[in-house]
């Protein structure tokens, strides 16, 4: 069955995770999410597959996180999803999705539990 990876080629964890999949004879569909961000619905589905809320997936160290004031707890989940699809660098990476479940490759080995 199909395996997807939300991949950022400039991110070492993302590259390590992709290499680990390939070492295990898994050839994922590579989603270049920085250049082709997911729709709001697609990101909500990934969040549900990760069993995470949007705030947990935010990269809080990114400058745009501060610029947009995203630590404001009054923001709704939809507000945070919109921020991520409009500024995809805010999405934690890499995300591997397989058989309706997803894991973040931090550390890369954690994605192997999907298989």
């Amino acid at each position: 069955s199909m395996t997807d990876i939300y991949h950022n080629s400039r991110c070492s964890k993302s590259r390590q995770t992709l290499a680990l999949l390939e070492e295990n004879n898994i050839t994922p569909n590579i989603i270049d999410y920085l250049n082709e961000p997911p729709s709001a619905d697609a990101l909500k589905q990934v969040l549900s597959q990760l069993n995470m809320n949007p705030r947990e997936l935010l990269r809080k160290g990114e400058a745009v996180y501060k610029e947009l004031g995203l630590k404001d707890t009054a923001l709704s989940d939809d507000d945070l999803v919109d921020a991520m699809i409009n500024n995809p660098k805010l999405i934690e990476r890499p995300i591997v999705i397989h058989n309706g479940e997803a894991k973040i490759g931090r550390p890369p080995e954690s994605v192997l539990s999907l298989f």
Side-chain angles (χ1 to χ4, degrees):
S1 69
M2 187 66 145
T3 304
D4 290 330
I5 182 169
Y6 277 64
H7 181 59
N8 174 354
S9 59
R10 291 189 298 273
C11 167
S12 63
K13 285 278 183 283
S14 206
R15 292 194 307 270
Q16 288 164 10
T17 301
L18 181 56
L20 188 64
L21 291 175
E22 289 170 344
E23 281 163 23
N24 284 275
N25 298 314
I26 299 154
T27 307
N29 173 48
I30 296 174
I31 299 170
D32 179 7
Y33 70 94
L34 289 178
N35 291 315
E36 291 178 36
S39 67
D41 283 345
L43 187 57
K44 285 177 187 171
Q45 184 177 7
V46 169
L47 283 162
S48 136
Q49 291 167 324
L50 284 164
N51 202 19
M52 289 171 82
N53 65 52
R55 192 165 287 288
E56 291 174 293
L57 194 61
L58 279 171
R59 290 179 59 85
K60 297 171 182 70
E62 296 288 342
V64 69
Y65 177 84
K66 283 202 183 69
E67 287 160 22
L68 296 176
L70 295 179
K71 75 168 181 232
D72 181 353
T73 53
L75 293 168
S76 70
D77 282 357
D78 282 342
D79 292 331
L80 298 177
V81 164
D82 284 343
M84 283 189 271
I85 60 179
N86 290 316
N87 305 275
K89 68 169 68 165
L90 285 166
I91 301 172
E92 186 58 277
R93 71 234 177 188
I95 304 167
V96 175
I97 305 157
H98 181 76
N99 278 352
E101 284 184 65
K103 290 264 192 266
I104 294 175
R106 293 180 176 271
E109 295 71 31
S110 61
V111 304
L112 293 178
S113 67
L114 293 168
F115 299 95

